[in-house]
Structure formats: structure tokens, C-alpha cells
């Protein structure tokens, strides 16, 4: 089995920064694309950023120029550096990863989420 766990969420004032991390753990597996999504109560989950196994990144228009996604394949970890935060960035942030396990099953995994709150 594979588990994802986010860390780094918290409360920050508008204009501040936060860094999120998400580490994959479990039995032997390989990781394809990884990403971050966020969700506000009453709204659908939305894409924030993705990064390929080779490091190519993609961002939602709302976070371009402010957020940076990266990964460390040796640590099986994806990061999201969030700068110039705005109140509208407030949400639960979820990590996801496309994972191939030892029995060659390919699945999308999700972490439990971490709260990011930006005060005005």
C-alpha cells in the first residue's frame, strides 16, 4: 500500500509565504506526475500545479508567478512554495501522485489534505 501525507499548512497574513511538502511512503513503487489541488467548502476541487517525473511544471492561471512546484525523486516528495499569498488562496490543499506499485497497478493517490488560511 502507498500513503501520501502533506505537511506545512498553517495561518499566514496576506503577502506572506508558506511551503508545503508531501511525501509518499509504503512498499516499492514508482511515481509519475505529482500535483497539488485545493478545495474551499462548497466548491469543487481545483488544480493548483503539477510536475512531471522529469520536472516539467504546470500551473493554474490564478497562481502563476506566485507558486512554485518542485519534487525530489530520491525522497519521493513533492513541494509547493507559495509566495505573495492572498486571502483567496485559503483552502485545504491536497497532494496527489500517479503511482505504479510492485504488482504493476497504476493509481492516483491523494493525501488527506492540509489547511492553508490567509488572513487579510
Amino acid at each position: 500500500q502507498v500513503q501520501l501525507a502533506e505537511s506545512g499548512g498553517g495561518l499566514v497574513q496576506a503577502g506572506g509565504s508558506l511551503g508545503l511538502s508531501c511525501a509518499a511512503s509504503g512498499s516499492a513503487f514508482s511515481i509519475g506526475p505529482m500535483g497539488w489541488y485545493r478545495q474551499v467548502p462548497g466548491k469543487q476541487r481545483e488544480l493548483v500545479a503539477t510536475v512531471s517525473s522529469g520536472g516539467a511544471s504546470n500551473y493554474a492561471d490564478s497562481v502563476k508567478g506566485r507558486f512554485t512546484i518542485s519534487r525530489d525523486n530520491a525522497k519521493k516528495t513533492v513541494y509547493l512554495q507559495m509566495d505573495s499569498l492572498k486571502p483567496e488562496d485559503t483552502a485545504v490543499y491536497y497532494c496527489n501522485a500517479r503511482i505504479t506499485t510492485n504488482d504493476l497497478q497504476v493509481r492516483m493517490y491523494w493525501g488527506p489534505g492540509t489547511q492553508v488560511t490567509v488572513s487579510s
Side-chain angles (χ1 to χ4, degrees), residues 2-19:
V2 179
Q3 301 282 107
L4 301 181
E6 302 96 341
S7 63
L11 175 65
V12 65
Q13 292 185 344
S17 298
L18 282 174

Side-chain angles (χ1 to χ4, degrees), residues 91-109:
V92 176
Y93 283 70
Y94 297 91
C95 169
N96 87 333
R98 182 179 295 164
I99 291 177
T100 302
T101 53
N102 285 344
D103 59 0
L104 301 183
Q105 294 185 52
V106 181
R107 289 180 54 191
M108 294 293 291
Y109 284 80

Side-chain angles (χ1 to χ4, degrees), residues 22-69:
C22 174
S25 62
S27 58
F29 55 87
S30 61
I31 307 176
M34 305 182 81
W36 291 93
Y37 288 71
R38 65 188 182 187
Q39 188 168 27
V40 177
K43 303 292 185 180
Q44 67 181 36
R45 190 171 299 183
E46 67 175 4
L47 171 72
V48 176
T50 61
V51 59
S52 72
S53 59
S57 59
N58 184 61
Y59 298 91
D61 288 342
S62 59
V63 307
K64 285 181 180 177
R66 300 188 299 119
F67 291 10
T68 303
I69 189 170

